[in-house]
Amino acid sequence: MNFKNILINQSENLATVIINRPKKLNALNKDTIQELFEAFKALEEDETVRVIILTGSGEKAFVAGADISEFANFSVEEGTTLAKKGQEILFDFIENLSKPVIAAVNGFALGGGLELAMSCHFRIASDNAKMGLPEVSLGVIPGYGGTQRLPQLVGKGKAMEMIMTAGMISAEDALNLGLVNHVTSQEELLPLADKIALKIMRNSSVAISAAIRAINAGFEDGVNGFDIEINEFGECFGTEDFKEGTSAFLNKRKPNF
Ligand code: COA
C-alpha cells in the first residue's frame, strides 16, 4: 500500500496506521480521509492482521481536526455531504470494523481528531495530549459523530459542556472521564498500545469480532443489543475457535487460535 498522507507499519499480526501530515498537525483533509478508508479496508481484508493501532506522526498532534482550509467556503449542501461521506467511509467504518482498533492519542485530538479517536474501539493517550471538540468556536458543530459518541463515552452533561465551551481537556481529565483508558508518557505510548494489542491477540479473533458487533448493537437505534448478543453468543458455538478455546481449557493447555 502506497499512501501520501499516512504510513503503515505491519509486523506479525499487528498493523500501526500513522497519520503523517505533521506540518498541518495531521489535520484530516479529503485525501487523508480517503487514504485512511483504503488502508482500513485493506487491513480488514488482510487475514494476517489481528489488531490495528491508529496514531499521529510527530510529537505534537494525533489529529488537530478536519482541515479547516478545505471547508471554509462550503455551501449547506457541501457541508452536509462532507459529514455524511466522512461518517460513512471512515468514522462508522472504523467503529464497525471486525478487528480491534486502538487509538494511541499522542498529542492534540481536536474536532475531527477526537471524533476519529472516539470511533476507534478504545483510546489510550500520552500525558501531553489535549482533547476537545472546538467546532462551535468556528460556527459549526461536530459532524463526524462527535455529538453522538462523546455523550456515549463521557455522559450527556459533560459532553454538552465540552462542546458548548469548545474547550480542551487534559489527558488526565480524559482518563477521569473514561474518554481514554490509560495515560502514559509519550515514549511509552506505542509500547503500551503494542502490549495491549498482544494481550488481545491471545484471544479468539472470531469471538472478538462477535463482541464488537454485540457491543455496537447496543448503541444502534431500533436494535435490541441483548437480542444481538444472544444470536452472536449462539453463533460462537459453531466456530472452530470455540472448540479450540474450550478444549484447551479442559485439557489445561493454552489455546492456539
Ligand atoms: N485544519 C487545517 N490546518 C490546521 C489545523 C486544522 N484543523 N490545525 C492546525 N493546522 C495547521 C495550521 O494552520 C498551521 O499551518 P501553517 O504552518 O501552514 O500556518 C499548522 O497546522 C500548525 O498549527 P499552529 O496553529 O501554528 O500550531 P499551534 O501550536 O500554534 O496551535 C492548535 C495548535 C491545535 C491549538 C491550533 O493549530 C488549532 O487551534 N487548530 C485548529 C483546531 C480546531 O479547531 N479543530 C477543529 C476543526 S473542525
Side-chain angles (χ1 to χ4, degrees):
M1 285 179 279
N2 221 345
F3 296 113
K4 211 172 85 208
N5 301 302
I6 61 177
L7 304 168
I8 300 177
N9 293 334
Q10 255 178 274
S11 90
E12 308 270 322
N13 303 115
L14 178 65
T16 306
V17 178
I18 303 156
I19 301 165
N20 190 30
R21 297 181 76 213
K23 285 190 183 140
K24 294 289 172 190
L25 303 187
N26 303 322
L28 290 179
N29 60 359
K30 202 169 158 230
D31 290 350
T32 307
I33 289 181
Q34 182 63 32
E35 287 187 1
L36 283 168
F37 165 65
E38 284 165 26
F40 275 99
K41 192 161 181 293
L43 295 171
E44 168 100 312
E45 285 162 9
D46 183 338
E47 282 177 11
T48 66
V49 174
R50 298 183 65 168
V51 180
I52 302 166
I53 294 167
L54 177 62
T55 194
S57 74
E59 293 184 348
K60 215 169 151 183
F62 173 71
V63 170
D67 194 319
I68 299 168
S69 64
E70 267 192 355
F71 65 69
N73 297 317
F74 271 15
S75 65
V76 170
E77 287 73 28
E78 288 170 312
T80 308
T81 306
L82 181 75
K84 189 167 189 297
K85 185 158 184 230
Q87 288 196 18
E88 269 168 23
I89 71 167
L90 188 59
F91 298 79
D92 293 353
F93 189 73
I94 291 179
E95 182 168 59
N96 292 305
L97 214 76
S98 63
K99 299 172 181 184
V101 185
I102 306 169
V105 179
N106 58 307
F108 288 114
L110 302 174
L114 180 56
E115 291 175 298
L116 185 61
M118 290 193 296
S119 68
C120 296
H121 295 123
F122 62 89
R123 291 141 293 285
I124 63 173
S126 55
D127 48 19
N128 65 315
K130 294 241 181 304
M131 282 158 258
L133 292 178
E135 284 86 346
V136 298
S137 71
L138 298 165
V140 68
I141 67 167
Y144 289 143
T147 64
Q148 305 305 299
R149 292 193 183 98
L150 188 63
Q152 285 170 7
L153 288 163
V154 306
K156 188 174 168 186
K158 194 66 205 176
M160 285 279 190
E161 183 184 340
M162 280 178 68
I163 291 171
M164 288 174 184
T165 60
M168 292 185 210
I169 61 169
S170 66
E172 208 52 45
D173 287 343
L175 181 66
N176 291 333
L177 285 170
L179 184 53
V180 303
N181 293 4
H182 305 277
V183 174
T184 184
S185 65
Q186 194 151 48
E187 308 78 69
E188 284 303 314
L189 184 66
L190 285 181
L192 175 62
D194 289 357
K195 199 171 140 199
I196 297 170
L198 282 176
K199 209 168 166 186
I200 292 172
M201 279 180 218
R202 284 191 220 125
N203 303 313
S204 158
S205 297
V206 178
I208 286 172
S209 301
I212 293 172
R213 286 191 294 274
I215 293 167
N216 283 345
F219 295 91
E220 253 179 72
D221 255 357
V223 175
N224 185 324
F226 289 95
D227 288 344
I228 302 294
E229 183 185 273
I230 290 167
N231 286 337
E232 293 288 351
F233 178 80
E235 290 294 327
C236 288
F237 286 73
T239 66
E240 286 303 315
D241 276 10
F242 176 71
K243 283 188 202 125
E244 170 60 14
T246 47
S247 78
F249 178 81
L250 295 172
N251 290 303
K252 302 193 185 305
R253 63 172 174 83
K254 283 203 158 62
N256 182 16
F257 291 120

